[in-house]
Amino acid sequence: MDKRRLVYPRSWMLVCLTCLVLLAIGVIGLEKPLAAEGEPLPAFEPGQVMVKLRPEGRAQADEVAARHGATVIEDLTSGWYLLAVPNGQEQAAIVDLLRDELVSAAELNYRIISFMGLGLRSSHLESFPTFRLQPDQLTGGAQLASAANDPQFPAQWNLIRIRVASQYLDEPSAWDYTTGGSNIIIAILGTGIDRNHPDLKDKLLPGYDFVNKDDDPSEDGMGFGTMQAGIAAAISNNHLGVAGASWGARILPVKVLDSKTGGNYATVIKGINYAVDQKANIINMSFSGYDSNYQALQEAINYAVSRGALPIASVGEKGAEPELRTPYPAALNGVLGVTATDRNDVRLPSSGHGPFVDVAAPGEDIIGTYCENDYRGYATGYGSEFAAPQVSGVAALIWSMNPTLKATEVARIIKESARDLGPSGPGEDYDYGLVDAMAGVMKTPHYLEVNRPFLHFGQAGNMIQPSQYTITNTYTSAPTWVVTTTADWLMASQPTVNVPSTVTISITPGAEHGCDSRSAQAHVTSLMEQTVTKTITLNAILRYNRPCPVRVYVPWIGYNQRNKNR
């Protein structure tokens, strides 16, 4: 969606501190408010402003700041700097800075917040109940699909609703074609991610903590970032806990929110830039700011998109505000804005809606990994903050089908393949509709890539070495490809169903005895309707350790001819 119509004119009136009404979250039966009672979060960071210097002024940042009674806190990159100014003088400092010919823009460092809908319900790792469908819940002769063996998978209704997974064997789903490649990185910008959660720890990249300014983003006092990570890409099919939308995607923890799930534009900008520089494909942001002065944030998004990353953001919870306001970064150009729906595909009453919505995803009773201090387990959540990570997981599946896609192409596929929930065409409640992973995967041109350019077999004694070759399709599963051979002496197995998917190519029994050499071809073919490359041909040769006998023709000389020669 082109969201330029959401740009509002700036006003340099004094900004009043706005008291944000925070939703309490229920954790293990206790109320845990996001801020102390009677302690409203400020609308912007006191004593801070963000300023953009023209190229010729960037080497003089300290001098420019000093001329206006400010000091440089840090370089936010791309010409933006975070400055310290006297408390209560933020707006006056901006007016003063904008008079400087070396300054091209100046903004307040606005706060962002993540409202966790109606809250979290959690349970300990060892005591979380196991959900299983009973025989009387099966209809007709259908069989329960074993898409994932995680104990809580049958309760993850949302994955079935958006066709990431299927409930019955005769129902196709995205996981039939790909469960996600490890080449895709999802950056989770949030409260940090618990490094020791057993359903996450083997998938986590190092990451960074921009709140405490260190390289340990594992402190997640709210458990919020940990939950987002599990929804998007928990370790799956491991007989433990939950399944992530993408089994293969790796997770980059980027802590930009504090223990009250609060942060600011400057911290988010640093987090976005860091995620891009760490080669993240997808940047998940389940939080919102509500002020329309967002040039610095938009430029960070522009940088992400220009470097091939796809920003995805929740549209927030309108129930947490006295009136509906435009959420950022969801409303920015280049960001995929996600609202939340219930089990009936109806927008949650508390979830944001408006022209900033691109797609919807389930946001009711969403199960994910969870932690709080030394406690590790799982929780169910409610709201668009839990819908956005599902879309991030779906984006990872689409990118696994074709890792050569641009971020804008992945976003287009997600939107165009969504199931319309409105009466006709896009609407402000759902815009393109409910994300549909299966339709998105089928709409993606399949990029077929294998790990070998040729096959070379040789005879050693009475053995053929190597005995076989393993051909690996890195990104997709068995239904997407097949290998055939052009000679009887060369045979290929059926593809394995996992990702990466493999085929074994070997010599047909009996063909190990021969002489000289034989040649043939193995054709690796995509079975998808839309493909980038339909067939890859691998040349195969089998060399024996002895030459074939040379037959010499000697003309036969008969008895009469021999007598004549005497």
Side-chain angles (χ1 to χ4, degrees), residues 456-467:
H456 188 184
F457 297 93
Q459 187 178 31
N462 293 324
M463 305 289 292
I464 298 295
Q465 297 293 336
S467 60

PDB file of all heavy atoms in Angstrom, residues 456-467:
ATOM      1  N   HIS A 456      30.528 -37.585 -10.732  1.00  0.00           N
ATOM      2  CA  HIS A 456      31.688 -38.309 -11.256  1.00  0.00           C
ATOM      3  C   HIS A 456      31.909 -39.565 -10.416  1.00  0.00           C
ATOM      4  O   HIS A 456      32.321 -39.490  -9.260  1.00  0.00           O
ATOM      5  CB  HIS A 456      32.928 -37.419 -11.217  1.00  0.00           C
ATOM      6  CG  HIS A 456      34.116 -38.023 -11.904  1.00  0.00           C
ATOM      7  ND1 HIS A 456      35.353 -37.423 -11.919  1.00  0.00           N
ATOM      8  CD2 HIS A 456      34.258 -39.185 -12.609  1.00  0.00           C
ATOM      9  CE1 HIS A 456      36.203 -38.186 -12.594  1.00  0.00           C
ATOM     10  NE2 HIS A 456      35.559 -39.258 -13.016  1.00  0.00           N
ATOM     11  N   PHE A 457      31.614 -40.733 -10.987  1.00  0.00           N
ATOM     12  CA  PHE A 457      31.824 -42.015 -10.321  1.00  0.00           C
ATOM     13  C   PHE A 457      33.074 -42.680 -10.901  1.00  0.00           C
ATOM     14  O   PHE A 457      33.378 -42.525 -12.086  1.00  0.00           O
ATOM     15  CB  PHE A 457      30.626 -42.948 -10.536  1.00  0.00           C
ATOM     16  CG  PHE A 457      29.335 -42.438  -9.957  1.00  0.00           C
ATOM     17  CD1 PHE A 457      28.456 -41.694 -10.732  1.00  0.00           C
ATOM     18  CD2 PHE A 457      29.001 -42.716  -8.641  1.00  0.00           C
ATOM     19  CE1 PHE A 457      27.262 -41.234 -10.206  1.00  0.00           C
ATOM     20  CE2 PHE A 457      27.806 -42.258  -8.108  1.00  0.00           C
ATOM     21  CZ  PHE A 457      26.938 -41.514  -8.890  1.00  0.00           C
ATOM     22  N   GLY A 458      33.779 -43.437 -10.077  1.00  0.00           N
ATOM     23  CA  GLY A 458      34.958 -44.160 -10.547  1.00  0.00           C
ATOM     24  C   GLY A 458      35.063 -45.519  -9.888  1.00  0.00           C
ATOM     25  O   GLY A 458      34.613 -45.719  -8.753  1.00  0.00           O
ATOM     26  N   GLN A 459      35.673 -46.480 -10.597  1.00  0.00           N
ATOM     27  CA  GLN A 459      35.831 -47.829 -10.068  1.00  0.00           C
ATOM     28  C   GLN A 459      37.142 -47.931  -9.302  1.00  0.00           C
ATOM     29  O   GLN A 459      38.192 -47.489  -9.763  1.00  0.00           O
ATOM     30  CB  GLN A 459      35.810 -48.858 -11.197  1.00  0.00           C
ATOM     31  CG  GLN A 459      35.808 -50.295 -10.704  1.00  0.00           C
ATOM     32  CD  GLN A 459      35.741 -51.286 -11.845  1.00  0.00           C
ATOM     33  OE1 GLN A 459      36.236 -51.019 -12.934  1.00  0.00           O
ATOM     34  NE2 GLN A 459      35.124 -52.435 -11.601  1.00  0.00           N
ATOM     35  N   ALA A 460      37.070 -48.502  -8.095  1.00  0.00           N
ATOM     36  CA  ALA A 460      38.252 -48.765  -7.277  1.00  0.00           C
ATOM     37  C   ALA A 460      38.184 -50.214  -6.840  1.00  0.00           C
ATOM     38  O   ALA A 460      37.394 -50.572  -5.958  1.00  0.00           O
ATOM     39  CB  ALA A 460      38.295 -47.836  -6.074  1.00  0.00           C
ATOM     40  N   GLY A 461      38.987 -51.080  -7.470  1.00  0.00           N
ATOM     41  CA  GLY A 461      38.873 -52.511  -7.220  1.00  0.00           C
ATOM     42  C   GLY A 461      37.551 -53.013  -7.754  1.00  0.00           C
ATOM     43  O   GLY A 461      37.208 -52.805  -8.924  1.00  0.00           O
ATOM     44  N   ASN A 462      36.786 -53.646  -6.877  1.00  0.00           N
ATOM     45  CA  ASN A 462      35.457 -54.107  -7.279  1.00  0.00           C
ATOM     46  C   ASN A 462      34.352 -53.160  -6.816  1.00  0.00           C
ATOM     47  O   ASN A 462      33.177 -53.501  -6.870  1.00  0.00           O
ATOM     48  CB  ASN A 462      35.199 -55.511  -6.711  1.00  0.00           C
ATOM     49  CG  ASN A 462      36.109 -56.551  -7.331  1.00  0.00           C
ATOM     50  OD1 ASN A 462      36.415 -56.474  -8.522  1.00  0.00           O
ATOM     51  ND2 ASN A 462      36.547 -57.521  -6.515  1.00  0.00           N
ATOM     52  N   MET A 463      34.742 -51.974  -6.333  1.00  0.00           N
ATOM     53  CA  MET A 463      33.790 -51.016  -5.782  1.00  0.00           C
ATOM     54  C   MET A 463      33.703 -49.778  -6.668  1.00  0.00           C
ATOM     55  O   MET A 463      34.639 -49.437  -7.391  1.00  0.00           O
ATOM     56  CB  MET A 463      34.212 -50.596  -4.372  1.00  0.00           C
ATOM     57  CG  MET A 463      34.426 -51.750  -3.404  1.00  0.00           C
ATOM     58  SD  MET A 463      32.883 -52.540  -2.937  1.00  0.00           S
ATOM     59  CE  MET A 463      32.137 -51.231  -1.982  1.00  0.00           C
ATOM     60  N   ILE A 464      32.558 -49.101  -6.585  1.00  0.00           N
ATOM     61  CA  ILE A 464      32.378 -47.806  -7.235  1.00  0.00           C
ATOM     62  C   ILE A 464      32.504 -46.729  -6.169  1.00  0.00           C
ATOM     63  O   ILE A 464      31.856 -46.784  -5.122  1.00  0.00           O
ATOM     64  CB  ILE A 464      31.006 -47.709  -7.933  1.00  0.00           C
ATOM     65  CG1 ILE A 464      30.903 -48.765  -9.038  1.00  0.00           C
ATOM     66  CG2 ILE A 464      30.784 -46.311  -8.489  1.00  0.00           C
ATOM     67  CD1 ILE A 464      31.878 -48.573 -10.173  1.00  0.00           C
ATOM     68  N   GLN A 465      33.355 -45.755  -6.416  1.00  0.00           N
ATOM     69  CA  GLN A 465      33.566 -44.658  -5.483  1.00  0.00           C
ATOM     70  C   GLN A 465      33.294 -43.320  -6.178  1.00  0.00           C
ATOM     71  O   GLN A 465      33.774 -43.107  -7.288  1.00  0.00           O
ATOM     72  CB  GLN A 465      35.002 -44.681  -4.947  1.00  0.00           C
ATOM     73  CG  GLN A 465      35.348 -45.921  -4.137  1.00  0.00           C
ATOM     74  CD  GLN A 465      34.587 -45.989  -2.832  1.00  0.00           C
ATOM     75  OE1 GLN A 465      34.146 -44.958  -2.316  1.00  0.00           O
ATOM     76  NE2 GLN A 465      34.420 -47.193  -2.295  1.00  0.00           N
ATOM     77  N   PRO A 466      32.540 -42.411  -5.533  1.00  0.00           N
ATOM     78  CA  PRO A 466      31.757 -42.684  -4.320  1.00  0.00           C
ATOM     79  C   PRO A 466      30.590 -43.612  -4.635  1.00  0.00           C
ATOM     80  O   PRO A 466      30.198 -43.747  -5.791  1.00  0.00           O
ATOM     81  CB  PRO A 466      31.276 -41.298  -3.900  1.00  0.00           C
ATOM     82  CG  PRO A 466      31.194 -40.538  -5.178  1.00  0.00           C
ATOM     83  CD  PRO A 466      32.326 -41.031  -6.031  1.00  0.00           C
ATOM     84  N   SER A 467      30.050 -44.223  -3.618  1.00  0.00           N
ATOM     85  CA  SER A 467      28.949 -45.157  -3.849  1.00  0.00           C
ATOM     86  C   SER A 467      27.676 -44.432  -4.256  1.00  0.00           C
ATOM     87  O   SER A 467      26.808 -45.005  -4.915  1.00  0.00           O
ATOM     88  CB  SER A 467      28.690 -45.985  -2.590  1.00  0.00           C
ATOM     89  OG  SER A 467      28.336 -45.139  -1.501  1.00  0.00           O
TER      90      SER A 467
END
